[in-house]
Amino acid sequence: MKKNIIIVICVILVIILLGIILFNTRKETDDTRTDETEFSHSAIYDRDGNLIYDASKSKEIEEIEETIENTTIQGIVELNHNGYIYIFNGQHFGEYGFEMQEYNRANIDNKNQKCIDYYTLEEYDSNYIQEGDIIICTGDLKKYSMGDNDFDTKDNAITVLKSKDYNKVKNERLNNTRTGVITVGEYYDTTGEIYVKYDISDKEYKLPFVLKFNITDDTQVIGNIEKGKELKIQYKDLNVPVDELEIRTIEVIEK
């Protein structure tokens, strides 16, 4: 009889122990899912899956290096989602990127600000802002020690240059209906990759862009290609999309 009671007690204890283990396992799983969910809403990736901004990083552990009040910035929109508008100070090329001093990198709270189209001057809400657009806004810029910037537009409207209009500006430059200096952004002679920067202006704004090319055996190169040097370029076919352009002749302008 005593033996049977001991066995029953042991079975009950095992069941209780298993229950505790299962409860803790489920709790850890739920916590992990919560963390993953929070991270997925706060982390910003480019279209190739590269992390470009992590809003989940606590700003409390970072020091504000500088606050610039009532300044105007502009940048290329990487994302407008989940209460954030993130702009990059350049362009992404897969896992690589090219930064330009004319543009800014910043995270902007989407407060459903009034937006104004760059050309038509028509008014919209912040849903008008999409990936690839250039936005120009005035407010307070906070620079953090870890390199992330926050921007408060306050009550100021955001000017939006739509990506389709920006592409028209690019094509006008490539077809020489707009003028501007062309320079070597970066050049890798081992791979033949070159980033070409096109400096152009429109209204009172500078709207540069960068194209990446591969210099092949059939590319005619005149002069020594070096970073920062001015270029003159002839293309094989200007009727193809911008990202499919190939260089026929690249000439370095010596000054």
Side-chain angles (χ1 to χ4, degrees):
M1 185 69 179
K2 288 183 178 180
K3 186 177 180 180
N4 291 336
I5 293 173
I6 292 173
I7 293 173
V8 171
I9 293 173
C10 289
V11 170
I12 293 172
L13 289 174
V14 169
I15 293 173
I16 293 173
L17 181 61
L18 287 174
I20 293 172
I21 292 172
L22 289 172
F23 175 79
N24 288 333
T25 301
R26 178 173 292 182
K27 185 177 185 299
E28 289 175 0
T29 302
D30 291 341
D31 289 344
T32 301
R33 287 175 179 171
T34 300
D35 292 342
E36 289 175 351
T37 302
E38 289 176 353
F39 181 80
S40 67
H41 284 301
S42 60
I44 300 173
Y45 299 85
D46 65 19
R47 63 183 63 187
D48 296 305
N50 302 303
L51 179 66
I52 56 178
Y53 184 84
D54 183 4
S56 68
K57 293 178 180 177
S58 175
K59 292 289 193 267
E60 294 178 0
I61 63 174
E62 296 186 42
E63 294 182 0
I64 297 177
E65 290 189 337
E66 185 180 11
T67 298
I68 305 173
E69 296 180 350
N70 297 318
T71 187
T72 299
I73 67 171
Q74 65 184 61
I76 300 175
V77 177
E78 294 272 297
L79 196 68
N80 179 8
H81 178 67
N82 199 39
Y84 295 104
I85 303 168
Y86 180 76
I87 58 174
F88 182 58
N89 57 332
Q91 296 170 229
H92 283 289
F93 297 90
E95 61 185 79
Y96 302 103
F98 188 91
E99 299 180 359
M100 291 174 275
Q101 63 180 6
E102 293 87 354
Y103 296 119
N104 300 87
R105 176 176 180 169
N107 185 58
I108 303 167
D109 283 339
N110 186 343
K111 300 181 288 188
N112 201 28
Q113 298 96 322
K114 180 172 70 176
C115 295
I116 301 175
D117 186 275
Y118 181 85
Y119 282 120
T120 67
L121 303 182
E122 293 182 11
E123 295 185 5
Y124 301 87
D125 61 26
S126 58
N127 291 321
Y128 191 61
I129 300 172
Q130 297 176 322
E131 179 184 341
D133 297 345
I134 290 179
I135 62 172
I136 303 163
C137 42
T138 299
D140 296 342
L141 178 66
K142 289 183 179 180
K143 294 185 176 182
Y144 290 88
S145 57
M146 299 296 289
D148 294 328
N149 300 328
D150 283 336
F151 192 82
D152 182 5
T153 58
K154 300 195 284 189
D155 295 325
N156 299 311
I158 298 175
T159 299
V160 183
L161 172 61
K162 299 300 294 179
S163 59
K164 61 181 179 62
D165 293 323
Y166 187 34
N167 287 334
K168 288 180 183 178
V169 171
K170 293 178 183 179
N171 285 317
E172 288 171 1
R173 177 63 194 90
L174 293 169
N175 286 282
N176 292 318
T177 55
R178 283 180 183 264
T179 59
V181 176
I182 305 174
T183 56
V184 179
E186 291 287 351
Y187 175 56
Y188 304 96
D189 56 355
T190 55
T191 61
E193 294 177 312
I194 183 171
Y195 293 83
V196 178
K197 182 182 178 185
Y198 298 78
D199 289 320
I200 53 177
S201 298
D202 187 81
K203 299 182 179 180
E204 69 268 35
Y205 301 106
K206 293 182 178 180
L207 303 172
F209 65 95
V210 172
L211 295 180
K212 178 186 175 183
F213 298 101
N214 289 314
I215 296 178
T216 61
D217 292 337
D218 63 345
T219 305
Q220 184 181 3
V221 179
I222 304 172
N224 296 317
I225 301 176
E226 296 178 8
K227 182 178 179 178
K229 285 198 171 183
E230 190 173 333
L231 299 173
K232 184 177 180 181
I233 295 177
Q234 291 184 338
Y235 308 94
K236 290 184 179 180
D237 184 4
L238 280 171
N239 294 316
V240 300
V242 171
D243 58 357
E244 296 179 15
L245 281 173
E246 295 180 275
I247 295 177
R248 182 190 304 280
T249 303
I250 183 167
E251 179 181 354
V252 178
I253 301 174
E254 300 290 351
K255 292 186 178 180

